Amino acid sequence: KLGGHSSAASMATGGYDVVVVGGGVVGCAAALEAARGPAAPFASQGLRRAPKVLLVEQHALGHSFGSSHGRSRIIRKTYPSEFYTRLMPHAYASWEGVAAGAGVELGTMLRQTGGIDLLPSTSPLVELLTGACERHGLDVERLDEAGALRRFGVQVPPDYCALFQRDSGVLDAAQCCAALVRAGRASGVEVLEGHRASGLFAVAGGEVKQLSRDCSSGAGDASEAGASASLPPASAACGRRLLLRLAMSPTSPAAGAESARERVVATDRVIACPGPWAAPCMRELLGMTRLPSISLQSIAVHFVKRLAGREVGGADVGETAGAACAATPTCAGRGGMPVLIDYADWSGAAVGPGKVARSSGQTPATSVPTPVYMMESIEHPGMVKIACHVGYSVEGAAALTDPAARDRGVPHRDFEDRVAPWLKARTPHLDSSRALHSDTCLYTNTCDEDFIIDDVTSLVGGGAAAGALEPGSVVLACGMSGHGFKLAPLSGRIAAAVALSGERGLGSDARELLSMTATRSEALEPAAGPTFGLRRRLDP
């Protein structure tokens, strides 16, 4: 069990330095990093200790309603992007730190299988990917058609380039989240499950000002930010600058117990990590009137059977990446296949750089090709997980307000129309006749597929808190765009650093990360390059 409850008594005495809202992988990482964070920002308050941190999750930790559940997630260093290629060594090191903090072996969280990037030879992504790898010291092996088929069971089409990199692998998502929670608890993080953040208030000069739209009742007709109805008393702030109202969720493990169904927590900083709940979080809890461009997509995921060698014409097909990575202790080493990313779409159309696909209803986007990805399945041994990096738009007011209410069914004929033809052409060692299991997961995509990790203090309450709160009081981390799990410890570290101190009192690694990701984007020109800042992506 991941969760646990903070007692009402512990929540009533002095409040918290940081409250993290959202217990998905990024929220768990942010809570851990905040608890480990620099104490320097608190020196002016006479505090010489690590920050006191509360992690709040509306459901039970490890729930299946969002984007952090399941078992299998890709981790890789090969990106057709200088920016992410440079970030990835930090990400790998961060997972090692999580394992150490949780007291577990890294091999229980990461299975190193190696990975293949499959690209049309004429694609500009070939030079982008190989160039970034060369500049950052990553060994990339070019595979010929015979070698790719013999060693890995991958059929390389004519005029294609197959690149193998040994560091790629599969993260066990459940084990990773459990390790983050365990390490967080060891660092002093308190956890409160089954409570939804339903109101945010600023406290200044003995007065309380509502920043969120009042959504505590769950009704659709929320009042505007700044309204004075149901304000908590200023005395509840315990000298802190923010009050957070928490309402018990129907899914709370304590929902049937004799306990307060609503409570108010005092804090100086809030880090919101809402995952697929990004839009309602920004609009209702944070009271933002200008929102970044974010789309919510349901990704169809299929699990197919691996065939024995004799079923595909000989036992020498697909020796596995285990042999190629045998010198590495974290390697699966048990017949696992490599991660495969095909940058040519289901249809064979080449993916262009900087493209983000869009879809609607039951028809996936086809005008903008997007990669197909595949990996060994941890949750279904002997199977392979396969999906496309574009899905079906989540539609309907109820589902957009609460993604847990979405239709989780896989669209009819998704496997037959999209997956099976690709499997036949690329992977003869996999059974393309049927999916043994299918499911969906959620992508929360930004317009450019770069994350949002930024200080939004000046935007909450429609700008009402701009003068009342210090920078870093409210930080938003969302829009992980389908490639955020591997970077979660890093994202959590950046979010915690922005909340705790901006650039004051940070170690050199955190300073470098903040410099690279440019989270305070209002100071940057739009053309400054990839950034995790929010303002350049705000809707007009």
Side-chain angles (χ1 to χ4, degrees), residues 267 290 311 400:
T267 184
R290 296 180 63 201
E311 298 178 87
L400 291 173

Side-chain angles (χ1 to χ4, degrees), residues 115-208:
I116 296 174
D117 290 288
L118 198 60
L119 310 96
S121 299
T122 57
S123 169
L125 297 182
V126 175
E127 176 56 35
L128 290 174
L129 191 150
T130 56
C133 289
E134 288 174 3
R135 286 186 288 275
H136 293 278
L138 298 180
D139 293 328
V140 176
E141 177 188 356
R142 288 181 180 260
L143 302 173
D144 58 27
E145 293 182 27
L149 183 62
R150 177 180 57 81
R151 290 169 58 186
F152 306 115
V154 174
Q155 181 68 59
V156 180
D159 302 321
Y160 266 63
C161 176
L163 305 172
F164 176 77
Q165 212 285 320
R166 61 185 295 122
D167 296 324
S168 299
V170 183
L171 290 168
D172 186 327
Q175 293 294 332
C176 288
C177 290
L180 285 167
V181 173
R182 192 176 299 117
R185 290 183 184 280
S187 298
V189 175
E190 296 181 35
V191 178
L192 181 68
E193 296 176 84
H195 283 73
R196 177 174 58 90
S198 60
L200 182 64
F201 308 86
V203 183
E207 296 185 355
V208 178

Side-chain angles (χ1 to χ4, degrees), residues 4 55 59 76 180 192 256 283 290 292 336 366 440 459 506 512:
L55 173 63
H59 301 292
R76 59 191 167 103
L180 285 167
L192 181 68
R283 184 176 57 250
R290 296 180 63 201
T366 55
T440 59
L459 299 176
L506 299 178
E512 180 183 6

Side-chain angles (χ1 to χ4, degrees), residues 372-457:
V372 181
Y373 61 87
M374 185 172 69
M375 74 199 83
E376 179 183 357
S377 170
I378 297 175
E379 54 266 66
H380 298 290
M383 298 188 202
V384 170
K385 176 181 176 181
I386 181 170
C388 184
H389 188 64
V390 67
Y392 302 83
S393 291
V394 174
E395 298 176 341
L400 291 173
T401 300
D402 181 8
R406 76 187 191 278
D407 180 0
R408 300 188 64 168
V410 175
H412 180 60
R413 291 193 58 81
D414 183 87
F415 181 83
E416 293 86 348
D417 292 345
R418 297 212 291 171
V419 183
W422 183 89
L423 284 171
K424 290 178 181 178
R426 297 289 191 272
T427 54
H429 67 301
L430 299 179
D431 184 2
S432 60
S433 65
R434 64 191 179 105
L436 296 181
H437 179 72
S438 297
D439 201 352
T440 59
C441 67
L442 290 175
Y443 277 15
T444 309
N445 286 349
T446 63
C447 59
D448 53 14
E449 296 193 351
D450 291 329
F451 310 157
I452 292 172
I453 309 174
D454 207 357
D455 179 359
V456 297
T457 307

